[in-house]
Amino acid sequence: METTLRGVGVSHGVAIGEVRHMGTAVLEPPAKQIPAEEAEREQGRARQAVEAVAADLIARGNLAGGEAQHVLEAQAMMAQDPELMADVERRIAVGSTAERGVYDAFAAYRALLANAGEYLAGRVADLDDVRNRIVARLLGVPMPGVPDSDEPYVLIARDLAPADTALLDPALVLGFVTEEGGPTSHSAILARALGVPAVVALPGAGELAEGTVIAVDGSTGEIFVEPSVEKRAEMESAAAARKAALSASSGPGTTSDGHKVPLLANVGGPGDVPAAVEAGAEGVGLFRTEFLFLDDSKQAPSEEKQVAAYRAVLEAFPEGRVVVRVLDAGADKPLDFLTPADEPNPALGVRGLRSLLDHPDVLRTQLTALSKAAQGLPVHLEVMAPMVADRADAKAFADACREAGLQAKFGAMVEIPSAALRARSILREVEFLSLGTNDLAQYTFAADRQVGAVSRLQDPWQPALLDLVALSAEAARAEGKSCGVCGEAASDPLLACVLTGLGVTSLSMGAASIPYVRATLAKYTLAQCERAASAARAADSAEEARVAAQGVLSGE
C-alpha cells in the first residue's frame, strides 16, 4: 500500500526506482595488544594507509572537479592532520595495532568536536568517512560506499560522505535519500551541482527495505513508498512537463511583465564555469576563492597563481557581472597560516573578514591579484567581503580595496543578523549587498547548518529569515544600490519568486538550478511575487510560508 514520508527536498526533480542501501560502515577493529618490537612497523602501516587514502580523495576530487574537488581536498587535509597522526602513533607505541590506533584516535577527535558543540561538529560525517577508509585499507576489506548495480536505483544512506556524492553516476543513481544532513550540507550542495534529485533529513530512511520501489520528489521532500500506478503517472507527467518548460526557457531572468532579475551562478573555481555558461548564467554571483587556499593550508598561494585562476573565470563572462568573495577562512575551513588553532567556537570567532583584517598581507595580495586578473577584460568585476558585522567592517574592507588600487565595486555579504538590521549603515561604505542565506539562517536560529536534527530551522522559508532579507533589500533600495542573494535559498524556484517580491535584485545559485528558476519566474508578474512575499512573511512557520506563497501564485 502506498505510504508517504516527508524529509527536506534539496535538489529538484523526480526519481522513481528501487531502493539500494549504501555499503555498511567498517566494523570496529579488535582491541588486541602488539609486542613493542612491532610498533614501528605498525606506525609505518598507519602512515602508508593515511597517505593512500588522502591521495585517493584528491584523485576523486580531480575527477569530479568543481565544488566537489574543494570538498574532497579538505577531506584529504583532514586525513593528513599532523595532530591526529601523532595521536595514532602514540597509541601504537603503547600497544595498539595500526587499525585500532586509527580508530581510537579518530573517535577521540570526533567526541571532542561533538561534545564541544563547535561548528566543526558539522563535519563529523566527513571525519567518519576518512576514518572508515583508512581502517578499511588497513584491514584489507572493501571500502564502504555506493553499491554496485547494473540497473538504475535510488540510493539510501544515513548520510553521504563527499567522496561518495562527488562521483555518483546520474545514469545509475536516479536520486538519493539520507537520514541526516540539512539543506546546506555538503551532500545537498553536491546533489544540486550534479542535478540529481535528493531528499535529506528523513528519519527512518534506513528502514526502507532493499528493492522497495519509491518515488522521490526532490522539490517537495516527499517520498512515496510503493507508489500506485496513478501516483507514478502523475509524477512522471509533472516531471515531463517541467522538463519541457525548462527546454523552452532561455535568455535573461525576468518576470512575466518584464521585471529583470539577473540569474547568476555560484562557482568554486574554473571547473564550474562550463556548466554555468551552458545553463545560461548571466554572470557569477558568488565566486568562492577558497579552492586556491585549501591546496596548501601552510601558506597562501602566490599572487601569480591567484591571477591565473581568477582570470580563467573572468574571461568566461565577457560583459557579464562577476562577484568575487575574498577568502572566507575559519570555522569549517581552517588554514594553518591564517586561523587560530585553539578557538573554542570557530563559527563565532575569527573567521571571514576578521581573519583577513588580522592578516592584511593576505588580503592585499588577493585584491592585487584580482585587479591584475581583470586588466584588459570587459567584465564587470565586483568584490565582496564575507562575515561583515557592521559599518566599521565594511569601511575597513572598502579602504583595503582602494589601497590595493582595485577598480571594481566593493560589497558586503549579509550573513550575520546585525548586518541585515543595520544594512543601510553598511551601505554608506560599500556599493552592494549579497545575502548568504545559509550562514544567515545558521546565525539567526543558532542552528548548525550541517545538523539534520535542526534542519527545520535551516529552512530558508522561515519567516524570520525572510524578514531579514526584506530589511536588507529595503535598505539597498533606499540607498539606490543592489541587493542580491547568493545562498542556497535562490535555487528554490518558488522561493526565488518570493525573494524577487521582497526586493532582491539578483539571484545566484548552482548552475543546475538556473533553468528551473528562470522558467518559474517567467510565469508570474512582479505584483504576484510581491503578494506572495507578503503572504510568506505573514506566516508563522516555514511550511505555512511555503503554502501561503504557493496559494497566492496559483491563484487559490
Side-chain angles (χ1 to χ4, degrees), residues 207-333:
E207 297 171 14
L208 291 167
E210 189 88 359
T212 302
V213 174
I214 64 172
V216 179
D217 189 325
S219 299
T220 66
E222 291 176 305
I223 307 292
F224 302 95
V225 183
E226 298 291 1
S228 64
V229 173
E230 293 77 16
K231 173 58 70 175
R232 293 179 67 153
E234 174 190 327
M235 293 184 73
E236 288 169 348
S237 175
R242 187 180 297 157
K243 186 175 181 180
L246 294 179
S247 299
S249 173
S250 62
T254 179
T255 58
S256 63
D257 57 339
H259 175 73
K260 292 182 178 179
V261 188
L263 302 181
L264 312 171
N266 293 344
V267 304
D272 291 336
V273 167
V277 173
E278 185 178 351
E282 297 169 60
V284 172
L286 173 61
F287 178 10
R288 305 179 183 93
T289 57
E290 288 75 52
F291 78 103
L292 275 171
F293 293 80
L294 291 173
D295 283 347
D296 183 353
S297 68
K298 305 296 183 185
Q299 60 182 1
S302 67
E303 181 182 301
E304 293 74 19
K305 183 176 181 180
Q306 291 189 54
V307 169
Y310 302 151
R311 194 170 180 88
V313 174
L314 298 177
E315 286 176 336
F317 295 95
E319 305 294 343
R321 178 186 180 201
V322 176
V323 184
V324 179
R325 180 179 71 190
V326 294
L327 175 63
D328 184 14
D332 63 331
K333 293 169 285 191

Side-chain angles (χ1 to χ4, degrees), residues 89-161:
E89 294 190 344
R90 279 194 297 270
R91 292 172 187 275
I92 295 173
V94 295
S96 288
T97 61
E99 46 267 36
R100 187 71 206 192
V102 168
Y103 187 90
D104 288 342
F106 272 77
Y109 189 44
R110 187 188 200 280
L112 176 68
L113 295 181
N115 293 337
E118 297 181 356
Y119 182 82
L120 283 175
R123 292 294 176 261
V124 162
D126 297 6
L127 187 71
D128 288 347
D129 181 60
V130 171
R131 177 203 64 201
N132 291 346
R133 290 174 183 278
I134 297 170
V135 172
R137 183 170 289 276
L138 287 165
L139 291 174
V141 300
M143 293 283 179
V146 178
D148 290 328
S149 176
D150 294 329
E151 297 297 325
Y153 59 90
V154 177
L155 181 63
I156 306 292
R158 180 181 178 84
D159 202 353
L160 280 171

Side-chain angles (χ1 to χ4, degrees), residues 480-536:
K481 296 178 179 179
S482 64
C483 176
V485 169
C486 64
E488 294 301 317
S491 65
D492 179 336
L494 181 61
L495 186 51
C497 296
V498 167
L499 295 172
T500 298
L502 292 174
V504 166
T505 55
S506 65
L507 299 166
S508 190
M509 64 209 77
S513 297
I514 291 175
Y516 290 92
V517 173
R518 182 192 293 120
T520 304
L521 266 180
K523 295 179 184 178
Y524 306 110
T525 64
L526 177 59
Q528 286 177 298
C529 293
E530 290 172 340
R531 289 196 295 273
S534 295

